[in-house]
Amino acid sequence: MKGLTGLRTLGRDELTHLITHASRLRDQIDAGAPSGPALAGRVMTNLFFEPSTRTRLSFDLAAQRLGAHVLTFDPSTSSTLKGESLRDSVLTVAAMGTDIMVVRHHEEGVPELVSGWTGLPVINAGDGTNEHPTQALLDAVTMLRHFGRIEGLRVGIVGDIAHSRVAGSLIHSLPTLGADLHLVAPQSWLPRQTSLPATTDLDSLLGDLDVVYLLRVQAERGAEAAADYVESFRLDTTRSSRLPEHAVVMHPGPMNRGVEISDEVADGPRSLVTEQVRNGVPTRMAVLAAVSGVVT
Amino acid sequence: MKGLTGLRTLGRDELTHLITHASRLRDQIDAGAPSGPALAGRVMTNLFFEPSTRTRLSFDLAAQRLGAHVLTFDPSTSSTLKGESLRDSVLTVAAMGTDIMVVRHHEEGVPELVSGWTGLPVINAGDGTNEHPTQALLDAVTMLRHFGRIEGLRVGIVGDIAHSRVAGSLIHSLPTLGADLHLVAPQSWLPRQTSLPATTDLDSLLGDLDVVYLLRVQAERGAEAAADYVESFRLDTTRSSRLPEHAVVMHPGPMNRGVEISDEVADGPRSLVTEQVRNGVPTRMAVLAAVSGVVT
Amino acid sequence: MKGLTGLRTLGRDELTHLITHASRLRDQIDAGAPSGPALAGRVMTNLFFEPSTRTRLSFDLAAQRLGAHVLTFDPSTSSTLKGESLRDSVLTVAAMGTDIMVVRHHEEGVPELVSGWTGLPVINAGDGTNEHPTQALLDAVTMLRHFGRIEGLRVGIVGDIAHSRVAGSLIHSLPTLGADLHLVAPQSWLPRQTSLPATTDLDSLLGDLDVVYLLRVQAERGAEAAADYVESFRLDTTRSSRLPEHAVVMHPGPMNRGVEISDEVADGPRSLVTEQVRNGVPTRMAVLAAVSGVVT
């Protein structure tokens, strides 16, 4: 695999290979079995033009577990890089000896640009409203481990789908893996064009879902929009009680408790939120191995 | 040992075991003998809700010397974590694969909370005005190495004892180890209730001390309080000359030169300040090993 | 070698040894051959009192490749260290277990001070307008690898030479290595006293140069000075076309595109800018090995 700028172009076999590998690595971590240093001597560089803590540290630990060296460029706090063009900064980082570049940027397409400029394997850690592929992969790992399959799962993504890069990557992977995906949001938060079933009525869909995947309501949407959203879309105990008994709740974090999810549901038995975080490191290990062409 | 949130509950044997182990590790470092990778594959996470440089880096190096992976969460600069509850942040960090959590927070009791939420071994790196146990342990290591014993040492703690977490941990450990502890401060800086001998008169005590342990005067106490303090409590050449010849001076750092200590004393032959820093890394190694149940 | 605070005192043999060693290490990195852990168990501390990203990360990776532990003190963001004297901060960092100290500071001579205070090997990563020795060494490595020799190369340094620590180190090393060095700048940016040939007329020199070494125009020189500078000193396609066919262009980065260099030249076939960055890590590895007394 030459990089991972998105999931749109991956077929079912490639996706399945990544998530089953990730799941095996998760088992190894749980068993306390140290990962072999498959990436010993290689250098992974975190290039985060948008602040991040969770995703950056998850990649950091994934690389450490594989024996790689980690460099962390944080252009958001780097005055040196501010006076420089994006391309010059990227070429500098690459020339320093980077083997794999992990890129987050507030604009769509920057990981593709970085890949073109450097010729290096690039892993997209989130670009604008486009994709966040490792998040969707770890979500798929979480579903696979919980249900034993993804094929046929009825998944409802709820929230600001049009502006969510997490939703972007879920939409480009879960149907390929055989899931039955539904988009649920206020009209203005639904994508303009989609071949997927879409609805503004969460309540009518609840009884048919295996997975409710809640997106974070971004603060920049405003307090009024959030208040309206709470009324019709917040997953609280009442709504949760209408789900099938076996249904689960997922969220990419960080959660806005009280907005898209209530405390009771966030901490309740249906919540797979902690499992999602737990699968983040092995998923990123599997992706790092795949783009490096090594076997772990 | 299930964690180290404070020294209050540790008995003499436990304290003695930790400080003698730390002292042995210090000898190994001085001899250039590499530590075995006793914590290989394990993950120590620094979770510092209050800025710190010294303590954080001391834990960082201690973990590296034992072969552990280190993750550093700095919520004080993390925008991601700001929109999240403390508990969600902590559970996220834990789920990422953390084996040992090092926590500093401006409120008392947060390390205990983190321990309860996560079930992980937690090491308190300073919580409000409560405890800073690894500082007191490294101080005990420093005394032990200098005097060959702690039993019977006459130690005067001088400064804002009521608001000092360093003093908190010293008070909960040095008497247990057999030291003869005296509290010295202006009335308002002495703890309200204590079974230890306390005095506002440093000068009358000087001739009887083996160790003068100076606390940092915090800037938030104000310039006026500091000026009054200097008059009666600053350890300068005159006061230092009244100490027994063998007496030593300690300070947890960073020193406010000219306030609680004069330049001459800070840099003089009685000062063990550099020794204290030097014992920080092996002390934290001993604690990391103890809470991990490994032998080094 | 007891440290590297500058190149002024190094003879031809010492310089040659460092740059040929660095060039060999570069070959090993290119071949994917892992460096032996020559510095296993040792601690390199980055002590950057002036913000930096490139140089700091280049040292970071160099140390990691040699198996050393890395500590990063960033006093520019450390509140703890702000209340402390420079000397106390440095002694604290040293006592924590540092074996090699890498120091950047906005004032001349601080690396020498640190060396005196601590007795440790200190590597100057840039001090005021004095020296930036590892930059000049990596530049020499780049010339050696491109031309196969440094002896006899005609090198023109162009820019604010009087205030550039990069120029300082180039002036103290390239002539020693046999290069024929020319200083080119507006009168006020030329050093007051120098035994080297100096000129304000770049155009008349172009046809005689093997290397044009462009310095960054600092923003603090003002927009007017920059505009004047562009007129007579910017290396653009026109000026570049007057260079001998084999001549190359170098720049320590980050480039001010449009000011001292045009886009066409920065990205053109004469540019060795990426090669310079690439040689940074092996050069710092060679210096780290030299000041540690180890062979790699």
Side-chain angles (χ1 to χ4, degrees):
Chain A
M1 206 162 77
K2 176 64 194 97
L4 186 71
T5 53
L7 300 182
R8 191 191 295 255
T9 59
L10 296 194
R12 187 163 185 158
D13 285 355
E14 284 170 299
L15 290 170
T16 302
H17 171 78
L18 283 172
I19 64 181
T20 52
H21 185 199
S23 189
R24 273 204 315 278
L25 291 168
R26 164 70 195 277
D27 288 336
Q28 286 175 21
I29 291 172
D30 286 357
S35 315
L39 296 185
R42 308 229 193 164
V43 179
M44 183 198 81
T45 299
N46 272 324
L47 189 58
F48 278 64
F49 292 91
E50 200 183 71
S52 166
T53 301
R54 301 161 165 263
T55 304
R56 184 169 57 75
L57 285 171
S58 183
F59 272 109
D60 186 337
L61 183 53
Q64 287 190 56
R65 283 202 184 279
L66 293 169
H69 302 304
V70 177
L71 286 185
T72 299
F73 264 74
D74 185 352
S76 66
T77 65
S78 163
S79 61
T80 307
L81 298 181
K82 273 178 194 162
E84 214 179 20
S85 73
L86 175 63
R87 185 168 167 278
D88 283 346
S89 293
V90 164
L91 290 176
T92 297
V93 174
M96 224 169 256
T98 297
D99 294 296
I100 307 165
M101 195 91 85
V102 179
V103 179
R104 170 171 286 204
H105 200 283
H106 55 273
E107 286 182 33
E108 292 77 25
V110 170
E112 293 277 8
L113 281 176
V114 171
S115 174
W117 290 334
T118 63
L120 291 174
V122 170
I123 302 172
N124 180 359
D127 63 327
T129 62
N130 180 36
E131 286 225 32
H132 187 358
T134 57
Q135 175 70 45
L137 287 173
L138 73 88
D139 293 332
V141 171
T142 305
M143 294 178 202
L144 177 68
R145 292 177 68 88
H146 185 83
F147 291 102
R149 65 184 170 95
I150 292 177
E151 175 75 40
L153 284 184
R154 290 161 304 171
V155 181
I157 307 183
V158 186
D160 189 358
I161 296 164
H163 303 96
S164 165
R165 55 197 182 200
V166 173
S169 287
L170 290 168
I171 288 171
H172 290 126
S173 57
L174 288 181
T176 309
L177 288 163
D180 180 14
L181 197 56
H182 297 259
L183 311 184
V184 190
Q187 195 65 50
S188 61
W189 291 3
L190 285 171
R192 300 260 170 78
Q193 295 185 311
T194 180
S195 58
L196 294 168
T199 176
T200 60
D201 183 0
L202 172 59
D203 289 325
S204 71
L205 193 66
L206 286 172
D208 293 326
L209 293 176
D210 301 305
V211 179
V212 189
Y213 193 104
L214 303 170
L215 299 173
R216 176 176 171 85
V217 174
Q218 301 294 332
E220 54 265 37
R221 299 282 157 249
E224 211 176 316
D228 286 352
Y229 186 83
V230 164
E231 178 73 18
S232 306
F233 296 95
R234 175 169 64 195
L235 197 69
D236 50 22
T237 312
T238 311
R239 287 204 172 92
S240 179
S241 69
R242 292 189 221 133
L243 289 166
E245 203 174 343
H246 68 274
V248 298
V249 176
M250 297 176 66
H251 191 297
M255 293 185 282
N256 267 332
R257 287 164 175 266
V259 183
E260 69 267 8
I261 192 167
S262 74
D263 279 338
E264 293 74 18
V265 175
D267 302 325
R270 294 188 188 280
S271 170
L272 294 186
V273 170
T274 301
E275 273 302 293
Q276 290 173 268
V277 177
R278 212 173 283 283
N279 289 324
V281 170
T283 298
R284 278 143 191 152
M285 290 170 72
V287 172
L288 287 169
V291 303
S292 306
V294 301
V295 179
T296 65
Chain B
M1 205 162 77
K2 176 66 194 97
L4 186 71
T5 52
L7 301 183
R8 190 189 296 255
T9 59
L10 296 195
R12 186 164 187 157
D13 284 356
E14 284 170 300
L15 290 169
T16 302
H17 171 78
L18 283 171
I19 64 180
T20 52
H21 185 198
S23 189
R24 273 205 314 279
L25 290 168
R26 164 70 194 276
D27 288 336
Q28 286 175 22
I29 291 172
D30 286 357
S35 315
L39 296 185
R42 308 230 192 163
V43 179
M44 183 198 82
T45 298
N46 272 324
L47 191 57
F48 277 65
F49 292 91
E50 199 184 72
S52 165
T53 300
R54 301 160 165 265
T55 304
R56 184 170 56 76
L57 286 171
S58 183
F59 272 108
D60 187 336
L61 184 53
Q64 287 191 56
R65 284 204 184 275
L66 293 169
H69 302 304
V70 177
L71 286 185
T72 299
F73 264 75
D74 184 353
S76 66
T77 65
S78 164
S79 60
T80 307
L81 298 181
K82 273 178 194 164
E84 215 179 19
S85 74
L86 175 63
R87 184 167 168 277
D88 283 347
S89 294
V90 164
L91 289 177
T92 298
V93 175
M96 223 170 257
T98 297
D99 295 295
I100 306 165
M101 197 90 86
V102 179
V103 179
R104 170 172 287 205
H105 200 283
H106 55 274
E107 285 183 34
E108 291 77 26
V110 170
E112 293 277 6
L113 281 176
V114 171
S115 174
W117 291 333
T118 63
L120 291 173
V122 171
I123 302 172
N124 180 359
D127 63 328
T129 61
N130 180 36
E131 285 226 31
H132 187 359
T134 57
Q135 175 70 45
L137 287 173
L138 73 87
D139 293 332
V141 172
T142 304
M143 294 178 202
L144 177 68
R145 291 178 67 88
H146 186 82
F147 291 103
R149 63 182 170 96
I150 293 177
E151 174 75 42
L153 284 183
R154 292 160 302 170
V155 180
I157 306 184
V158 186
D160 189 357
I161 296 164
H163 302 96
S164 166
R165 55 197 181 199
V166 173
S169 287
L170 290 168
I171 288 170
H172 291 126
S173 57
L174 289 181
T176 309
L177 288 162
D180 179 14
L181 198 56
H182 297 260
L183 311 184
V184 189
Q187 195 65 48
S188 61
W189 291 2
L190 285 171
R192 299 259 171 78
Q193 295 184 311
T194 180
S195 58
L196 293 168
T199 176
T200 60
D201 183 0
L202 173 58
D203 289 325
S204 70
L205 194 67
L206 286 171
D208 292 326
L209 293 177
D210 300 304
V211 179
V212 188
Y213 193 103
L214 303 170
L215 299 172
R216 177 177 172 85
V217 174
Q218 301 294 331
E220 55 264 37
R221 299 282 159 249
E224 210 176 316
D228 286 353
Y229 186 82
V230 164
E231 179 73 18
S232 307
F233 296 94
R234 175 169 63 196
L235 197 69
D236 51 20
T237 313
T238 311
R239 286 203 172 93
S240 179
S241 68
R242 292 190 220 132
L243 289 166
E245 203 174 345
H246 68 274
V248 298
V249 176
M250 296 175 68
H251 190 296
M255 293 185 282
N256 267 332
R257 287 165 175 266
V259 183
E260 69 267 8
I261 193 168
S262 74
D263 279 338
E264 292 73 19
V265 174
D267 302 325
R270 294 188 188 281
S271 171
L272 294 186
V273 171
T274 299
E275 273 302 294
Q276 289 172 269
V277 177
R278 212 173 284 281
N279 289 324
V281 171
T283 297
R284 278 142 191 152
M285 290 170 72
V287 172
L288 287 169
V291 303
S292 305
V294 301
V295 180
T296 65
Chain C
M1 205 162 78
K2 176 66 195 95
L4 185 71
T5 53
L7 301 183
R8 191 190 295 256
T9 59
L10 296 195
R12 186 165 188 158
D13 285 356
E14 283 169 300
L15 290 170
T16 302
H17 171 78
L18 283 171
I19 64 181
T20 52
H21 185 199
S23 189
R24 272 204 316 278
L25 291 168
R26 164 72 193 275
D27 287 337
Q28 285 175 22
I29 291 171
D30 286 358
S35 315
L39 297 185
R42 309 231 191 161
V43 179
M44 183 197 82
T45 298
N46 272 325
L47 190 58
F48 278 64
F49 292 91
E50 199 184 72
S52 165
T53 301
R54 302 160 164 263
T55 303
R56 184 169 57 74
L57 285 171
S58 183
F59 271 108
D60 187 336
L61 183 53
Q64 287 190 56
R65 284 203 184 278
L66 293 170
H69 302 304
V70 177
L71 286 185
T72 299
F73 264 75
D74 184 353
S76 66
T77 65
S78 162
S79 60
T80 307
L81 298 181
K82 273 178 192 162
E84 215 179 18
S85 73
L86 175 62
R87 184 168 167 277
D88 282 346
S89 293
V90 164
L91 290 177
T92 298
V93 175
M96 224 169 256
T98 298
D99 295 296
I100 307 166
M101 195 91 85
V102 179
V103 178
R104 171 174 286 204
H105 200 283
H106 55 273
E107 285 182 35
E108 291 76 25
V110 170
E112 293 276 8
L113 281 176
V114 171
S115 174
W117 290 333
T118 63
L120 290 174
V122 170
I123 301 174
N124 180 359
D127 63 327
T129 61
N130 180 34
E131 286 226 32
H132 187 357
T134 58
Q135 175 69 46
L137 286 173
L138 73 87
D139 293 331
V141 171
T142 305
M143 293 178 203
L144 177 69
R145 291 178 68 87
H146 185 83
F147 291 102
R149 62 182 172 95
I150 292 176
E151 174 75 40
L153 284 183
R154 291 159 304 171
V155 181
I157 306 183
V158 186
D160 190 357
I161 297 164
H163 302 97
S164 165
R165 55 199 182 197
V166 174
S169 287
L170 289 168
I171 288 170
H172 291 126
S173 56
L174 288 181
T176 310
L177 288 162
D180 180 13
L181 198 56
H182 298 260
L183 311 184
V184 189
Q187 195 64 49
S188 60
W189 291 3
L190 285 171
R192 299 260 171 78
Q193 294 186 313
T194 179
S195 58
L196 293 168
T199 176
T200 60
D201 184 0
L202 173 59
D203 290 325
S204 70
L205 194 68
L206 287 171
D208 292 326
L209 293 176
D210 300 305
V211 179
V212 189
Y213 193 104
L214 302 170
L215 299 173
R216 178 177 171 84
V217 174
Q218 302 293 333
E220 56 263 39
R221 298 284 157 249
E224 209 176 318
D228 287 352
Y229 186 82
V230 164
E231 179 73 18
S232 307
F233 296 94
R234 174 168 64 196
L235 197 69
D236 51 22
T237 312
T238 310
R239 286 203 172 92
S240 179
S241 69
R242 291 190 221 133
L243 289 167
E245 205 173 343
H246 68 275
V248 298
V249 176
M250 296 175 68
H251 190 296
M255 293 185 282
N256 267 331
R257 286 164 175 267
V259 183
E260 69 266 8
I261 192 168
S262 74
D263 279 338
E264 294 73 18
V265 174
D267 302 325
R270 294 187 188 282
S271 170
L272 294 187
V273 170
T274 301
E275 273 302 294
Q276 289 173 268
V277 177
R278 212 174 285 282
N279 290 324
V281 170
T283 298
R284 278 143 191 151
M285 290 170 72
V287 172
L288 287 169
V291 304
S292 305
V294 302
V295 179
T296 65

